Amino acid sequence: MSRTWALRKQRPSGGQGANGGAVPPADQRRLAPDFGAQNPLDVLRRRFHSGELGSVPVALGLIVVWIIFESLNENFLSPRNLSNLTVDIVGTGMIAVGVVFVLLLGEIDLSVGSVSGLAAAAFAVLTVNHGVPEGLAVLIAVLGGTVIGAVQGFFFAKVGVPAFVVTLAGLLGWNGLMLYVLGSNGTINIDDDGLLAMLTSYYFNNVAAAYGLAVLGTAGYFLVSYRDVRRRRAAGVPARPLSEILLRTGVLAVIALAAAVVLNQFLGLPLALLIFLVVLVGLDCVLRRTRYGRMIFALGGSVEAARRTGLNVDLVRISVFMVSGTMAAIGGLFLASRVTSASQTSGAGLLLMDAIAAAVIGGTSLFGGRGRTWSALLGVLVIQSIASGVALMGIRTAVQFMITGGVLLIAVVIDSLSRRAQKAHGRV
């Protein structure tokens, strides 16, 4: 038994909490600000039994997928394929980030695929047919997604139409509008050397770019985590031990530097990946470090409880669907950039299912109140890895559907079991 632990146990049972009330001895030990007293393995084991699995299952699943496909085709983990993978995930990943916001409310947005296709079509028509500058066309397309989200959010929040019905109508209506905008041409090719095309074709060839991003990202994660722990210690609330933060930072450093090495062996750091990571970090800060983010989580936990605290439920709901529409439009532009065209198939096919599945597979709960923007990254990595592996092996697309469906089912089962475990521990 460590000396620090022994000193904690000697404290009287009438300790004062952060609000001046008595704190039981067990809570005193739990709240005690000793960074090195907890074993990271013990912390992981406790979270497993209490249902707080986080991103561990999907990370393990991703590793399994990569090992299987690499054993079947040695080109799967080649620098070229992995670099292409990091660009391929961006369009669907952007859409999945918006889906995460909606799922946090315990709702669904079925219109994201059609909105993404409409944004791509609007951009192509404006730039090619009407000569609008690409920067202005991008802005118009993105704002169009925001307006669509506001309209759908209004019918859901103010009129009381279920989100499923509203967005299902949007799926049909916005897809029809996309076909109308494209007209009889069906397909419009965009400039291969234009601004939009560069989003997915430009690479930072200097090796310092990828390595610098890896180092800055790792250092930033450690500094933010350490600052959070100090603030929680000062407030007298539970905080992660320093050993766990160092372990997490070490794992992140290994992953980031390995990714930098792989990317530099091909063309360098893709601009699309950099933008995606910046968006993920920014929206993660919005969710976890702003009052607006706390309102979203509160609303996802209990609508009535949030309403009684004075939270403007309708405004939050509308704003979340605006975020979803905006991210759908951005994702549609990245998808159009990848193929340098907008067509009648834009936003169609499996895009909607992939975006929703990515958010769920990545760890966002279908029941609301639990999830992070990083769920979109992990989930879309799994889905796109399966698609890439199947394509490399020349297997029929039907197999991809079955594998993805199985992974999605496993993710939902884990989510359900995790929620049940949290209820048993009084955490839900």
Side-chain angles (χ1 to χ4, degrees), residues 282-297:
L283 292 182
D284 182 66
C285 290
V286 170
L287 280 179
R288 298 176 60 219
R289 301 179 183 279
T290 66
R291 183 172 179 269
Y292 174 68
R294 290 190 290 271
M295 289 191 295
I296 293 177
F297 281 107

Side-chain angles (χ1 to χ4, degrees), residues 50 52 418-428:
S50 63
E52 299 178 3
S418 174
R419 185 175 178 85
R420 183 181 302 177
Q422 290 184 343
K423 284 184 177 180
H425 286 76
R427 297 177 181 270
V428 178

